[in-house]
Amino acid sequence: MAISVETFFLSPDSQGTLQAQIQQLIAEGILSGRFRRGEKLPSSRKLASHLGVSRITVTLAYTELLANDYLTSRGRSGYYVSENAPVPPSFSPPKEREDTVDWSRALGRRFTGGVTPDKPKDWANYRYPFVYGQTDPSLFDHANWRLCALQALGQKDFTALTSDYYDQDDPELVEFIARNTLPRRGIIARPEEILITLGAQNALWIAAQVLLTQRRTAAIENPCYHALRDILNQSRCHVEPVNVDKDGLDPARIPKESDVIFTTPSHQCPTTATMPMTRRQALLDRAREIDALIVEDDYEFEMSFVDAPSPALKSLDTEGRVIYVGSFSKSLFPGLRLGYLVGSESFIREARALRASVLRHPPGHIQRTAAYFLSLGHYDALIRRIRDALKSRRSIMQEAIDHSGLLVAGKGAEGGSSFWMQGPSASNAAHFAQNLKQEGVLIEPGASFFSSDTPPQNFYRLGYSSIPAERIPAGIDKIARALSQEQNWP
Amino acid sequence: MAISVETFFLSPDSQGTLQAQIQQLIAEGILSGRFRRGEKLPSSRKLASHLGVSRITVTLAYTELLANDYLTSRGRSGYYVSENAPVPPSFSPPKEREDTVDWSRALGRRFTGGVTPDKPKDWANYRYPFVYGQTDPSLFDHANWRLCALQALGQKDFTALTSDYYDQDDPELVEFIARNTLPRRGIIARPEEILITLGAQNALWIAAQVLLTQRRTAAIENPCYHALRDILNQSRCHVEPVNVDKDGLDPARIPKESDVIFTTPSHQCPTTATMPMTRRQALLDRAREIDALIVEDDYEFEMSFVDAPSPALKSLDTEGRVIYVGSFSKSLFPGLRLGYLVGSESFIREARALRASVLRHPPGHIQRTAAYFLSLGHYDALIRRIRDALKSRRSIMQEAIDHSGLLVAGKGAEGGSSFWMQGPSASNAAHFAQNLKQEGVLIEPGASFFSSDTPPQNFYRLGYSSIPAERIPAGIDKIARALSQEQNWP
């Protein structure tokens, strides 16, 4: 590639002759990795005119750099970065100076320091990745996704691809969700009751901003999805953790001062408990009694393969009390960043205005691609394939776990994509997870799911949505061995 | 498409026989537009098993619907929605009941009611669209964008396409911005000083959240980008509007209590003024003097074609005081929703944590597509083409305006994509814009750019980035005539 003349500037407070300054600009570009071997420099005429210096000055600078072997000349075709020029590992200019800004004072708010743990980004390089929520390349329908993306990139969809929608969504995606996706959860909603979001994370965040203030109280499940706790802590509302049992959230335990109840009735996160129908009705009754709203996170309803999924809590809601969060992260892929909120028009209107201010709208092209993938039936086929694979992996998991003597704390009545595991009470999952990583096994320690200063350390989650079935037994075996060594620890 | 059995639920409080309930489910699905002509129903066996009723019940319901011509039977292949079934205009189920939730109390915060005006989404259907910030299909390099998107959809980039990056960006895009884009603005930044955002809107929003609180003061230009005023009003900080002049923001007028100064030095929005070098230095001096930070919105630097663009304010910053906002909305397209923040590591770290909580990361596929488009040189070629077209349109605009007698209030020393116009002092741009719309002419009234309860009503903006050159003279002529009629108004 040619180096653009527009990247050259003479600094007003530079030292030395113009020629020396130009030499230094180029040498620094090469040494920092900005200019790479073989890249072409601007002609001396162009650079001279751009910098407002005489052409001979640029020519002399180039000649000097030729002599130092930073540049080579290819006759009439001009000057290039020499194949002998130094190569830094990657573009990483040195930090030239320390800021004089006092950031401890300048930052108005801090958002770092949340409870969501770092997860290994290179999980695919591990042999036994019991990770949660990533895409399995062997299951995803890459070919049809590509075709749908191509179609959405066509001339017919130019507007959907390029336009600023301001606060709107792709009407084709919204209609498909209303006609086909929500009815599977027993939910009938009109387009003005639906908002497309940047994934379920964004949907939960928006719901929290619209419904909560510093004077309001959110009831959350304990344990629960750690990123939700970060969202609520940042919103500075009061947070009341409510312990879950084998049927999920117990309505009777929800404090009466709660304004908003966050719950995962289909597959409680992380214990995987499914809330029975009678308890769902009791939860709605409790919400009415204390005049609270409910945010229902239905993050992996498609992953039900043992039993047909129960209809969503939202489908039982006759009062507008439930706000429903859906996601395509588990059924399509998380990097897509597409989810949706369903709720009363008064709520969705504020949520839409907030989203417009924060980010306007999810990119048009990905919305249209998803609309095609769904409406052409590829989504249904993909879900069937994923369910079949998860069903088979689950029974392999179960068998290997039974054989190994590990203890399952929750495995989901309807299916799901993970087991919630309990180590011996003295064991520390963060510790044996670290040891297992050395052996190529990734598991997720459970402590960060708990709202407590002294969370139990012995729980962990085993996802089976990304690990090949044939590696499960050996992986479980390694976990069992690491755990037994853990027990022998002093 | 086949109608999924999973969309059928019997409600626990339904009336009537099971057969009647099933008939009603299907009839309602057809009448609301959820099931469409020609779509196939589940087999009676499947539906019976799903609902837990006897197969004869389903068959009787289907037979009844056949008789009513809601369904047709195609022998062994099953039941379909009849071609004679009623067709509603689109899927829009009736609102069944009023919420019992009192939303005036339930909403914790409101985000509607901002100053950003509604813009016509169907601008492309108007003959004279002097709109701002949309994509011109005749200039955009659709073919190469499509090729880059295809490449990013390939097997090699599967991880970039599908993965949850948590709080990370695509390293290829970040490196390209650091190596090639920022140096054009005279800015040298390391990857940890760069954050990819969902467009400039998202970048400004994040900067406001991290830097401002209810006890801090933001100085903004007056007039300024209306969406920025919405962002700051929502953040509840104190806002000080500072009148701009022909050189943009005047540092001497910035109140000393300002904590953050928002500015658009390259092309002041909306007046298009370019801030001279001496004033940029004075602005940095003023910021140091009052210990304020500066957020520089460099939203259309690529659109400089009259003069080479001056280096960014950020390039003069030796203290870490300037936070830079870049965007690909003007140079690629706004529906892409890609922008970036550049600032000191302490700032970017908090901005990244906030972004992770709000939306995690911009979708991987669009980041990688943009990285390819940039690195293959298509972006440079596109910018050259856009500049050439804008340069020619600008001179046609200027000639038509001179000829028509309209008054230009600002037109940008370096170029840009709009003129800032001033009508006679008694005229009302909202009023004549409405009249012009009837004639197929879209202009943007200027009042909403001003921070004032009684903003001047006679300013308006004429964008020329989406109107074909040959229509400019007739469009300007229509504007001049509408304005002269406006003056004759009682």
Side-chain angles (χ1 to χ4, degrees):
Chain A
M1 223 178 101
I3 298 164
S4 167
V5 72
E6 295 174 14
T7 67
F8 290 84
F9 291 98
L10 291 176
S11 164
D13 27 82
S14 287
Q15 307 289 319
T17 64
L18 285 173
Q19 180 196 326
Q21 287 180 42
I22 295 168
Q23 273 173 241
Q24 202 178 351
L25 274 182
I26 296 168
E28 279 176 4
I30 292 171
L31 290 170
S32 70
R34 195 153 74 78
F35 307 152
R36 292 181 175 172
R37 286 180 177 178
E39 289 186 331
K40 189 181 179 189
L41 277 99
S43 72
S44 56
R45 190 184 49 73
K46 262 199 180 164
L47 185 55
S49 134
H50 174 77
L51 295 177
V53 303
S54 81
R55 192 167 165 190
I56 186 74
T57 306
V58 176
T59 308
L60 285 172
Y62 279 6
T63 312
E64 194 70 29
L65 289 161
L66 270 180
N68 298 338
D69 213 2
Y70 274 66
L71 301 184
T72 52
S73 150
R74 298 192 193 154
R76 290 198 161 190
S77 94
Y79 293 89
Y80 294 79
V81 178
S82 163
E83 294 300 330
N84 301 317
V87 177
S90 70
F91 178 58
S92 160
K95 192 163 177 182
E96 287 177 17
R97 56 193 166 257
E98 287 306 311
D99 287 356
T100 60
V101 170
D102 173 6
W103 287 102
S104 66
R105 205 206 66 87
L107 296 171
R109 288 195 60 186
R110 284 169 196 277
F111 299 92
T112 49
V115 299
T116 303
D118 271 345
K119 298 191 185 184
K121 275 127 204 119
D122 60 342
W123 63 267
N125 298 334
Y126 288 78
R127 192 161 171 83
Y128 308 101
F130 292 101
V131 295
Y132 184 83
Q134 293 285 8
T135 310
D136 183 341
S138 73
L139 296 177
F140 182 61
D141 184 357
H142 194 172
N144 276 314
W145 182 264
R146 204 156 175 257
L147 285 175
C148 291
L150 253 182
Q151 191 181 342
L153 283 163
Q155 201 63 52
K156 186 171 97 51
D157 285 323
F158 185 80
T159 310
L161 172 66
T162 59
S163 286
D164 191 337
Y165 290 175
Y166 308 109
D167 62 350
Q168 298 301 302
D169 296 314
D170 184 357
E172 298 206 15
L173 180 59
V174 172
E175 172 153 346
F176 194 89
I177 290 171
R179 285 212 317 132
N180 298 61
T181 311
L182 293 174
R184 286 167 191 241
R185 311 299 295 124
I187 301 169
I188 301 296
R190 293 170 300 135
E192 54 273 35
E193 295 170 328
I194 300 171
L195 181 75
I196 308 293
T197 61
L198 263 280
Q201 174 88 23
N202 186 227
L204 290 169
W205 183 86
I206 290 175
Q209 308 310 306
V210 172
L211 301 176
L212 290 163
T213 66
Q214 293 181 42
R215 284 172 301 280
R216 297 197 173 185
T217 299
I220 61 170
E221 298 171 337
N222 187 28
C224 89
Y225 177 46
H226 23 62
L228 173 63
R229 280 182 21 244
D230 281 341
I231 287 172
L232 296 176
N233 289 337
Q234 286 174 11
S235 85
R236 294 172 175 170
C237 66
H238 188 65
V239 178
E240 284 283 355
V242 179
N243 290 346
V244 302
D245 58 27
K246 66 170 194 7
D247 291 331
L249 184 64
D250 181 355
R253 293 192 187 181
I254 297 171
K256 68 175 188 317
E257 61 272 23
S258 307
D259 298 288
V260 185
I261 302 160
F262 288 83
T263 182
T264 49
S266 300
H267 298 169
Q268 203 276 330
C269 173
T271 67
T272 76
T274 298
M275 191 183 288
M277 223 36 181
T278 48
R279 189 175 267 199
R280 291 182 192 220
Q281 200 56 65
L283 177 56
L284 286 170
D285 293 344
R286 176 69 179 156
R288 188 183 311 109
E289 183 189 328
I290 62 174
D291 195 18
L293 299 175
I294 297 174
V295 176
E296 174 184 25
D297 183 359
D298 202 26
Y299 61 103
E300 61 167 23
F301 81 86
E302 301 100 328
M303 308 297 108
S304 300
F305 45 80
V306 176
D307 246 348
S310 359
L313 191 64
K314 174 74 184 156
S315 74
L316 307 173
D317 169 31
T318 57
E319 307 188 78
R321 209 169 276 290
V322 179
I323 287 157
Y324 177 88
V325 174
S327 166
F328 293 113
S329 291
K330 305 294 181 287
S331 52
L332 293 173
F333 48 88
L336 182 63
R337 311 302 315 131
L338 275 187
Y340 45 96
L341 274 168
V342 182
S344 292
E345 211 177 327
S346 312
F347 167 78
I348 292 293
R349 196 182 301 121
E350 298 301 324
R352 186 181 299 283
L354 172 60
R355 191 197 65 180
S357 191
V358 173
L359 59 84
R360 295 226 161 154
H361 59 82
H365 172 245
I366 61 166
Q367 293 194 57
R368 186 56 59 89
T369 303
Y372 285 143
F373 194 84
L374 292 164
S375 64
L376 292 172
H378 301 314
Y379 170 77
D380 289 323
L382 174 62
I383 296 299
R384 276 196 298 276
R385 197 162 50 247
I386 293 178
R387 280 182 190 164
D388 287 350
L390 291 185
K391 189 172 183 175
S392 132
R393 286 182 201 171
R394 179 174 151 118
S395 73
I396 295 169
M397 288 282 291
Q398 184 67 63
E399 198 175 321
I401 287 169
D402 288 349
H403 184 261
S404 70
L406 292 175
L407 184 62
V408 176
K411 61 180 185 178
E414 300 178 344
S417 59
S418 60
F419 281 38
W420 179 240
M421 306 292 293
Q422 182 168 11
S425 55
S427 65
N428 182 313
H431 178 260
F432 62 80
Q434 200 52 45
N435 289 346
L436 281 163
K437 206 171 160 185
Q438 315 295 328
E439 296 190 61
V441 185
L442 291 180
I443 68 167
E444 202 179 338
S448 61
F449 289 99
F450 290 92
S451 301
S452 164
D453 292 336
T454 53
Q457 297 294 332
N458 56 325
F459 287 89
Y460 57 104
R461 181 159 74 166
L462 296 182
Y464 49 88
S465 56
S466 299
I467 184 169
E470 66 274 16
R471 295 197 190 154
I472 289 175
I476 295 292
D477 194 50
K478 281 177 186 286
I479 296 169
R481 265 187 291 157
L483 249 168
S484 72
Q485 281 165 11
E486 175 87 357
Q487 285 181 270
N488 299 335
W489 245 51
Chain B
M1 222 178 102
I3 298 165
S4 167
V5 73
E6 294 173 15
T7 68
F8 291 84
F9 291 99
L10 292 175
S11 164
D13 27 84
S14 287
Q15 306 290 317
T17 63
L18 284 174
Q19 181 196 325
Q21 287 180 41
I22 292 168
Q23 272 172 243
Q24 203 179 349
L25 273 182
I26 295 168
E28 279 176 2
I30 292 171
L31 290 169
S32 71
R34 196 153 74 77
F35 305 154
R36 292 181 176 172
R37 287 180 175 178
E39 288 185 335
K40 189 180 179 190
L41 277 99
S43 72
S44 55
R45 189 186 48 74
K46 261 198 182 166
L47 184 55
S49 133
H50 173 76
L51 295 177
V53 303
S54 80
R55 191 167 166 190
I56 186 74
T57 307
V58 176
T59 307
L60 285 171
Y62 279 5
T63 312
E64 195 69 31
L65 289 161
L66 270 180
N68 299 337
D69 214 359
Y70 273 65
L71 300 184
T72 52
S73 150
R74 299 192 193 155
R76 292 197 161 190
S77 95
Y79 293 88
Y80 293 80
V81 178
S82 164
E83 293 301 329
N84 301 317
V87 177
S90 71
F91 178 59
S92 162
K95 192 165 176 178
E96 287 176 17
R97 55 193 166 257
E98 288 305 312
D99 286 355
T100 59
V101 170
D102 173 7
W103 285 103
S104 66
R105 204 205 67 84
L107 295 172
R109 287 196 60 187
R110 285 170 195 278
F111 298 93
T112 49
V115 298
T116 302
D118 271 345
K119 298 191 185 184
K121 275 131 202 112
D122 60 343
W123 63 267
N125 299 332
Y126 288 79
R127 192 159 170 82
Y128 308 102
F130 292 102
V131 295
Y132 183 84
Q134 293 284 7
T135 309
D136 184 340
S138 73
L139 295 177
F140 182 61
D141 184 358
H142 195 170
N144 276 316
W145 182 264
R146 205 155 174 259
L147 286 175
C148 290
L150 252 180
Q151 191 181 342
L153 284 162
Q155 201 63 53
K156 186 171 95 54
D157 284 324
F158 184 82
T159 309
L161 174 66
T162 59
S163 287
D164 192 335
Y165 289 176
Y166 310 108
D167 63 350
Q168 296 301 303
D169 298 313
D170 184 356
E172 298 207 13
L173 180 58
V174 171
E175 172 153 346
F176 194 88
I177 291 171
R179 282 214 317 134
N180 297 61
T181 311
L182 293 175
R184 287 167 192 243
R185 312 300 294 123
I187 301 169
I188 301 298
R190 292 169 300 135
E192 55 272 34
E193 294 170 328
I194 299 171
L195 181 75
I196 308 292
T197 62
L198 262 280
Q201 174 88 24
N202 187 227
L204 289 169
W205 183 86
I206 290 174
Q209 309 311 307
V210 172
L211 300 177
L212 291 162
T213 67
Q214 295 181 41
R215 284 173 301 282
R216 295 198 176 185
T217 299
I220 59 169
E221 297 171 337
N222 188 28
C224 89
Y225 177 47
H226 22 63
L228 173 63
R229 276 175 32 238
D230 282 343
I231 287 172
L232 296 176
N233 288 338
Q234 286 174 12
S235 85
R236 294 173 174 169
C237 66
H238 189 65
V239 178
E240 285 282 355
V242 180
N243 290 345
V244 302
D245 58 27
K246 65 168 195 8
D247 291 332
L249 184 64
D250 181 355
R253 294 193 187 182
I254 297 171
K256 67 175 189 317
E257 60 273 25
S258 308
D259 297 291
V260 184
I261 302 161
F262 288 84
T263 183
T264 49
S266 300
H267 298 170
Q268 203 277 329
C269 173
T271 67
T272 75
T274 297
M275 190 181 289
M277 223 37 182
T278 49
R279 190 176 267 198
R280 292 182 190 219
Q281 199 55 64
L283 176 57
L284 286 169
D285 292 345
R286 177 69 179 155
R288 186 182 312 111
E289 184 188 328
I290 63 174
D291 195 18
L293 298 175
I294 297 174
V295 177
E296 174 184 26
D297 182 0
D298 202 26
Y299 61 103
E300 61 167 21
F301 83 86
E302 301 99 328
M303 308 295 107
S304 301
F305 44 81
V306 175
D307 247 348
S310 359
L313 191 64
K314 175 74 182 155
S315 74
L316 306 174
D317 170 30
T318 55
E319 306 186 79
R321 208 169 275 288
V322 179
I323 288 157
Y324 177 90
V325 174
S327 167
F328 292 113
S329 291
K330 306 295 181 286
S331 52
L332 294 172
F333 49 87
L336 182 63
R337 312 300 316 130
L338 274 187
Y340 45 95
L341 275 168
V342 182
S344 292
E345 210 177 328
S346 311
F347 167 79
I348 292 293
R349 197 182 301 120
E350 298 302 323
R352 185 180 301 281
L354 172 60
R355 191 197 65 182
S357 191
V358 173
L359 58 84
R360 295 228 162 155
H361 59 81
H365 172 244
I366 63 165
Q367 294 194 59
R368 186 55 59 90
T369 302
Y372 284 143
F373 194 83
L374 293 163
S375 64
L376 292 171
H378 301 314
Y379 170 78
D380 290 323
L382 174 61
I383 296 298
R384 276 196 297 276
R385 197 162 50 247
I386 293 177
R387 280 181 189 165
D388 287 349
L390 291 185
K391 188 171 184 177
S392 132
R393 286 182 200 170
R394 177 173 151 122
S395 73
I396 295 170
M397 288 284 289
Q398 185 66 63
E399 198 174 321
I401 287 169
D402 288 349
H403 184 260
S404 70
L406 293 175
L407 183 62
V408 176
K411 61 178 184 179
E414 299 177 345
S417 60
S418 61
F419 281 39
W420 178 240
M421 306 293 293
Q422 182 168 12
S425 54
S427 65
N428 183 313
H431 179 259
F432 63 80
Q434 200 53 45
N435 290 345
L436 280 163
K437 205 171 161 185
Q438 313 296 324
E439 297 190 61
V441 185
L442 291 179
I443 68 167
E444 201 179 338
S448 61
F449 291 99
F450 290 93
S451 302
S452 164
D453 293 336
T454 54
Q457 296 295 330
N458 56 325
F459 286 89
Y460 58 104
R461 182 161 70 168
L462 297 181
Y464 50 88
S465 56
S466 298
I467 185 168
E470 64 276 14
R471 295 196 190 155
I472 290 175
I476 295 292
D477 195 50
K478 280 177 187 288
I479 296 169
R481 267 187 289 158
L483 249 170
S484 72
Q485 282 165 12
E486 175 86 355
Q487 285 183 270
N488 299 334
W489 245 52

